[in-house]
Amino acid sequence: MNIRTHPRHSWLAISSARKGSIMLCLLRLGLALVLGLSTIASPARAQSDDRHIEDTMKRATRFMVEKAATNGGYVWSYAADMSRRWGEMEAYPSMIWVQPPGTPTMGHLFLDAYHATGDDYYYQAAEKAANALIAGQQDNGGWHYFIDFGGEASTKRWYDTIGRNAWRLEEFQHYWGNATFDDAGTSEAMQFLLRLYVERHDPKYLPAVRKALGFVLDSQYPIGGWPQRYPVKNEFAHHGKPDYTSFITFNDDVAGENIKFLLMCYQVLGSDARVRDAIIRAMNVYLVTQQAAPQAGWGLQYTLDLKPVGARTYEPNALVTHTTAANVAQLLDFHRLTGDRKFLSRVPEALDWLDSVRLPVDQITAGRAYPTFIEIGTNRPLYVHRRGSNVVNGAYYVDHDPSNTVGHYNSVRAIDVAGLRRRYAEALAMDPREIAKTLLLEAGPARPLPRYFLVEASTSSDLNTSDVKRSPQDLARALNAQGWWPTPLRATSNPYAGDGAASPLPGDFRTTRVGDRTDTSPYYSETPVVGISTGTYIENMRALIAALVRNERK
């Protein structure tokens, strides 16, 4: 693997969406960051506003860095007295979370704050997050969902107790001991480390970037896709289903996030032929896995002989509507990045298939018009149910009945097929000269990364965050004396209470997020306690940074 470095480049004043189209930030290179201006203020007033904003940011960040962090890393939420803490599940005090919105997301946020303020405190905070991630990077170059500074014995104890009893989170019921691409943890970690390295070209971060790049290249199948976990293992067959972690995976944007990282490497580290080949094969796997008409969609995963296959016991062998929509969007991006019209050739078939499975008007609720799972061959919707009360006595099953479906996995989806058709029409009409401006697989000089990664990102996946937008003044007033924003911790979990009983306990758990008291899965509390939310910190800091950027451009 040949990585060529380049002198430091100036950063472009642009931003990108963390959870939008995986290519959005790359397609926006060279475009100015445009943020709405609502008022025109005097320079003195703007400077005063900036000082108040920066003071709020600094107070909140000092608490997170100096009080909440564990060895420079973070989980998703903390009890106010730090007696309990959670990532996607309850965490030990020795743990930090890699899965977003965890430690890598915080690293991105710190770099955004550094760019907005010029305050080196934020760069140092980013370095601390990076050091925590490097400490937990596996020898193969990837990451697990979390890093446990208590060591292997502590991690295995967690899996044997808390993890094993999470009824609906089957990915935590077994400890494979390898790294995972699931839920963008590895992806965001390596993207952040690459971004930090390029910021000052500090050579101490290059070995971790090299290892991460090697992990992505080594784990890629020849056909172009990636397994969910690597090195590949096949040791957790359960409930009559095979171990799904070796399958070629689209679920949770595994392929898309890896392509994004490879494009970033190709963009800033030099035109490496091995990286370019990996990108092309990865793009092509979207083409070869699309099913034949009239069911021209995609599944969540594929066997190595390219047959759609399920994963967890509530993800059946089926075609999947939201995955199909996401893959169509990817193909449209691939066309823009490469200029190759082969990525457009079967888009209409996929959109026609989505239209064919749209629910009747009287069955649509809250704009969710597309069943998640569609039976292969019949084109009928499949619906997921469960019985029992915990992981020991419970089971998931699938049929055609839309009533009493599981509450933790959406049975129907909101998909903007009309918007995808408009994008397709625009792609067909696009001037080749315009496409040539955004081609990223052409050899040439290194190009800078976006200046901001989170300013325009969609809301985080933290279940405790709020969609309510507040002004910088409101955020300053809401910050408490200790330096954190009090947040109702809606997402909680039962503490470990032993393994579940073999017989179901009383109660109806068909549509709940959690089963009986032995189920350690996260759920929404009707009486949430107030605590510390990393997601709330990130959302509020994003709003404050955006305000600084607006003031800067006045």
Side-chain angles (χ1 to χ4, degrees):
M1 174 172 43
N2 176 29
I3 299 180
R4 289 182 287 141
T5 59
H6 294 260
R8 184 180 181 189
H9 294 267
S10 61
W11 291 80
L12 297 184
I14 60 177
S15 64
S16 63
R18 172 66 185 88
K19 288 290 184 182
S21 167
I22 66 159
M23 305 306 166
L24 187 57
C25 67
L26 298 168
L27 293 175
R28 286 180 175 178
L29 287 175
L31 301 179
L33 169 67
V34 179
L35 296 173
L37 303 179
S38 56
T39 60
I40 299 177
S42 67
R45 172 66 181 275
Q47 290 177 4
S48 176
D49 289 346
D50 285 355
R51 284 195 297 271
H52 287 303
I53 292 170
E54 291 186 29
D55 178 65
T56 302
M57 291 171 57
K58 193 68 165 287
R59 288 176 55 217
T61 302
R62 283 195 183 279
F63 176 84
M64 296 301 293
V65 172
E66 298 168 20
K67 302 295 185 182
T70 298
N71 293 341
Y74 305 85
V75 293
W76 290 9
S77 58
Y78 308 77
D81 62 359
M82 295 289 179
S83 59
R84 296 180 72 189
R85 61 190 66 202
W86 296 264
E88 186 168 19
M89 292 182 63
E90 184 160 7
Y92 288 164
S94 56
M95 289 178 173
I96 64 172
W97 228 253
V98 179
Q99 178 186 10
T103 304
T105 316
M106 290 289 280
H108 279 306
L109 189 282
F110 294 143
L111 284 180
D112 283 4
Y114 171 62
H115 290 155
T117 66
D119 188 339
D120 202 61
Y121 182 83
Y122 296 106
Y123 183 83
Q124 293 171 23
E127 286 199 304
K128 291 176 182 177
N131 293 339
L133 292 170
I134 292 171
Q137 186 179 24
Q138 297 185 6
D139 290 341
N140 56 46
W143 282 267
H144 186 52
Y145 293 105
F146 57 77
I147 296 166
D148 189 350
F149 291 104
E152 187 83 355
S154 175
T155 299
K156 289 181 177 179
R157 183 168 63 254
W158 185 92
Y159 269 94
D160 288 341
T161 54
I162 295 172
R164 186 168 68 181
N165 284 281
W167 186 9
R168 70 178 178 85
L169 291 180
E170 295 174 12
E171 59 269 41
F172 291 113
Q173 292 173 11
H174 175 77
Y175 180 49
W176 284 267
N178 53 10
T180 181
F181 288 118
D182 190 32
D183 285 344
T186 285
S187 302
E188 189 165 55
M190 57 193 181
Q191 290 165 20
F192 162 59
L193 289 175
L194 175 63
R195 184 185 178 202
L196 183 62
Y197 166 69
V198 173
E199 177 69 28
R200 295 183 178 178
H201 282 85
D202 189 329
K204 68 186 176 187
Y205 298 116
L206 188 55
V209 173
R210 288 181 184 273
K211 283 176 62 177
L213 178 56
F215 178 71
V216 175
L217 295 175
D218 293 342
S219 61
Q220 187 181 31
Y221 286 122
I223 195 67
W226 283 272
Q228 190 196 72
R229 287 182 172 87
Y230 187 80
V232 169
K233 297 186 178 182
N234 294 285
E235 60 188 38
F236 189 51
H238 66 300
H239 295 89
K241 300 191 73 170
D243 188 320
Y244 61 87
T245 59
S246 65
F247 297 149
I248 296 171
T249 304
F250 290 112
N251 192 24
D252 288 325
D253 213 13
V254 165
E257 287 287 350
N258 284 339
I259 293 172
K260 179 180 178 179
F261 173 67
L262 291 173
L263 282 168
M264 289 172 65
C265 289
Y266 194 80
Q267 174 188 343
V268 301
L269 296 178
S271 306
D272 189 295
R274 188 181 176 196
V275 173
R276 186 179 189 279
D277 174 69
I279 294 169
I280 291 172
R281 286 188 290 116
M283 290 180 174
N284 286 339
V285 82
Y286 286 75
L287 301 177
V288 299
T289 51
Q290 185 178 6
Q291 300 300 284
Q295 288 191 295
W298 284 266
L300 293 173
Q301 287 88 210
Y302 286 80
T303 59
L304 296 188
D305 57 355
L306 302 185
K307 291 182 173 59
V309 64
R312 294 169 291 192
T313 56
Y314 46 84
E315 294 168 326
N317 296 355
L319 298 184
V320 183
T321 53
H322 66 279
T323 299
T324 295
N327 285 7
V328 167
Q330 303 286 30
L331 291 175
L332 295 171
D333 286 338
F334 297 162
H335 166 256
R336 184 70 179 264
L337 289 167
T338 66
D340 195 332
R341 290 173 72 92
K342 71 181 180 183
F343 295 113
L344 303 179
S345 62
R346 296 192 62 207
V347 165
E349 293 177 45
L351 298 178
D352 289 347
W353 175 69
L354 286 172
D355 280 339
S356 76
V357 300
R358 182 183 172 91
L359 292 170
V361 173
D362 61 350
Q363 296 181 28
I364 299 173
T365 303
R368 296 180 179 273
Y370 298 87
T372 296
F373 299 113
I374 303 297
E375 191 171 43
I376 297 172
T378 69
N379 226 33
R380 296 176 65 189
L382 294 173
Y383 296 100
V384 182
H385 312 270
R386 72 180 185 182
R387 55 178 170 263
S389 70
N390 59 52
V391 71
V392 176
N393 61 57
Y396 289 89
Y397 62 96
V398 178
D399 59 25
H400 300 290
D401 182 0
S403 61
N404 294 317
T405 56
V406 295
H408 61 80
Y409 201 103
N410 289 324
S411 295
V412 288
R413 306 281 172 157
I415 297 173
D416 186 8
V417 175
L420 290 172
R421 287 193 184 277
R422 287 193 296 271
R423 284 193 59 195
Y424 171 70
E426 292 168 358
L428 286 179
M430 194 172 293
D431 187 333
R433 291 172 295 183
E434 289 300 310
I435 296 176
K437 296 177 182 178
T438 59
L439 297 179
L440 287 178
L441 290 181
E442 301 297 319
R447 283 164 284 189
L449 294 173
R451 182 175 178 81
Y452 299 105
F453 268 54
L454 300 182
V455 170
E456 289 184 341
S458 60
T459 55
S460 75
S461 59
D462 187 335
L463 300 178
N464 294 309
T465 55
S466 170
D467 292 333
V468 176
K469 305 300 181 186
R470 294 190 286 183
S471 69
Q473 293 77 17
D474 289 339
L475 292 175
R477 286 190 290 267
L479 193 68
N480 69 14
Q482 294 173 273
W484 50 276
W485 281 285
T487 302
L489 300 183
R490 296 180 298 157
T492 188
S493 63
N494 295 323
Y496 175 65
D499 292 344
S503 298
L505 297 184
D508 184 356
F509 304 105
R510 290 177 296 174
T511 63
T512 59
R513 283 182 171 266
V514 68
D516 62 39
R517 64 183 181 83
T518 66
D519 184 1
T520 55
S521 303
Y523 66 92
Y524 288 125
S525 172
E526 295 180 359
T527 56
V529 299
V530 172
I532 302 152
S533 167
T534 300
T536 295
Y537 166 80
I538 292 169
E539 294 303 304
N540 291 346
M541 285 287 289
R542 282 175 47 205
L544 294 170
I545 292 169
L548 287 180
V549 175
R550 286 195 299 270
N551 291 343
E552 179 184 353
R553 299 188 65 81
K554 287 181 180 179

